[in-house]
């Protein structure tokens, strides 16, 4: 029997967007190309208990509107569980909040981004080490990805490999132990979802000196997200992946 992939749900998206398009876990499942039956969703923000890592094949951690630095009890519990999952050698993919939570769980640091909030579509620039990385070696250099975040990984965990950056964030991606990845960008977003986030934050963007209309105009769909999610599934499916 194939073990399920755990989606650790750390929050929900914008209410109107959830009504119209579904939530973070739905976008991840849709982007993966896998049937929903392949996944089990555990809502840790709502206090749902996480399973024994031995009973799952991999972990994907969603984004959230929470902040890692608030150290909510559910988040701290999830971080401790992730430490155990890493020691079990499970393939793990953290997205946005999940990226930051994963870095924190491994001994890194999270803080508000000194370069300000990052919204919209941005070029993801990969380091030379990404060319040999299991997840990113199939990705073309300098693709465009979708972002929406205020906090960042301010210090990577010890022994983590830095893989990518953008104009406003030094840590867009990292790898740990060859099978654990954190992504600040959103592989599950598309242009429509990203535009909804820009519209929701229009006044904040303007207050910080940004141009929401320019960000909206710059949002175009990109293959990066589906490529990353499909490649992660390929890694999970490899013999002895965990």
């Amino acid at each position: 029997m194939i073990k399920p992939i755990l989606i650790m749900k750390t929050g929900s998206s914008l209410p109107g967007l959830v009504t119209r398009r579904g939530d973070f876990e739905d976008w991840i499942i849709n982007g993966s190309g896998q049937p929903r039956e392949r996944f089990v969703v555990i809502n840790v923000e709502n206090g749902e208990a996480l399973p024994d890592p031995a009973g799952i094949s991999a972990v994907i951690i969603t984004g959230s509107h929470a902040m890692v630095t608030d150290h909510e009890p559910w988040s701290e519990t999830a971080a401790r569980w992730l430490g155990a999952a890493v020691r079990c050698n499970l393939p793990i993919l953290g997205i946005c909040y999940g990226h930051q939570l994963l870095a924190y769980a491994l001994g890194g640091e999270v803080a508000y981004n000194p370069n300000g909030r990052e919204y919209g579509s941005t070029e993801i620039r990969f380091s030379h080490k990404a060319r040999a990385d299991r997840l990113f070696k199939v990705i073309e250099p300098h693709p465009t990805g979708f972002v929406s975040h205020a906090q960042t990984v301010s210090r990577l965990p010890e022994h983590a490999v830095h893989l990518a950056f953008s104009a406003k964030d030094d840590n867009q991606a990292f790898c740990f132990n060859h099978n654990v990845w954190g992504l600040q960008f959103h592989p599950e977003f598309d242009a429509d979802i990203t535009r909804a986030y820009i519209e929701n934050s229009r006044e904040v963007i303007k207050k910080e000196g940004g141009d929401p209309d320019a960000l909206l105009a710059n949002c175009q769909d990109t293959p990066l997200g589906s490529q990353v999610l499909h490649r992660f599934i390929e890694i999970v499916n490899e013999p002895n992946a965990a």
Side-chain angles (χ1 to χ4, degrees):
M1 181 177 178
I2 298 175
K3 296 177 182 178
I5 298 170
L6 168 67
I7 296 181
M8 181 189 290
K9 182 176 172 64
T10 62
S12 287
S13 184
L14 305 169
L17 193 54
V18 171
T19 299
R20 183 168 63 86
R21 290 288 308 273
D23 212 340
F24 293 126
E25 66 272 21
D26 302 304
W27 309 337
I28 290 169
I29 293 169
N30 293 340
S32 75
Q34 297 295 297
R36 182 168 288 267
E37 294 74 23
R38 183 80 193 275
F39 300 87
V40 57
V41 179
I42 300 295
N43 191 333
V44 294
E45 187 187 37
N46 281 356
E48 293 181 5
L50 288 160
D52 183 340
I56 57 176
S57 62
V59 184
I60 301 175
I61 316 159
T62 74
S64 178
H65 296 170
M67 298 295 172
V68 171
T69 57
D70 288 342
H71 301 290
E72 296 283 353
W74 63 263
S75 186
E76 296 295 300
T77 298
R80 289 190 294 271
W81 185 92
L82 282 169
V86 170
R87 291 191 291 275
C88 290
N89 205 35
L90 285 175
I92 301 175
L93 183 69
I95 299 171
C96 197
Y97 187 93
H99 156 80
Q100 297 163 13
L101 183 65
L102 192 53
Y104 169 73
L106 294 170
E109 294 180 358
V110 176
Y112 281 92
N113 190 345
N115 297 318
R117 300 170 192 262
E118 190 177 36
Y119 290 106
S121 179
T122 190
E123 183 181 48
I124 307 298
R125 301 190 64 86
F126 289 108
S127 72
H128 70 279
K129 293 182 179 179
R131 305 319 308 161
D133 180 76
R134 294 171 70 198
L135 184 64
F136 289 114
K137 65 182 181 181
V138 300
I139 307 299
E140 293 298 316
H142 315 318
T144 299
F146 296 120
V147 290
S148 179
H149 65 106
Q151 294 200 327
T152 183
V153 175
S154 55
R155 182 177 62 80
L156 288 172
E158 187 177 4
H159 305 306
V161 178
H162 178 257
L163 295 177
F165 62 96
S166 65
K168 293 190 72 172
D169 197 295
D170 293 336
N171 289 313
Q172 281 289 344
F174 73 87
C175 180
F176 184 86
N177 199 32
H178 304 292
N179 65 343
V180 174
W181 292 272
L183 312 179
Q184 185 59 69
F185 65 92
H186 282 273
E188 82 283 23
F189 276 25
D190 59 20
D192 174 59
I193 292 167
T194 306
R195 291 188 190 106
Y197 270 88
I198 294 169
E199 288 288 6
N200 184 71
S201 301
R202 174 177 285 274
E203 294 308 313
V204 172
I205 293 169
K206 290 169 65 175
K207 184 177 179 180
E208 294 185 352
D211 184 344
D213 292 322
L215 291 175
L216 288 168
N218 193 45
C219 273
Q220 302 295 329
D221 281 315
T222 167
L224 174 63
S226 62
Q227 288 174 347
V228 168
L229 291 173
H230 279 79
R231 176 58 188 152
F232 182 72
I233 296 298
E234 289 178 356
I235 292 170
V236 174
N237 290 340
E238 290 174 358
N240 303 315

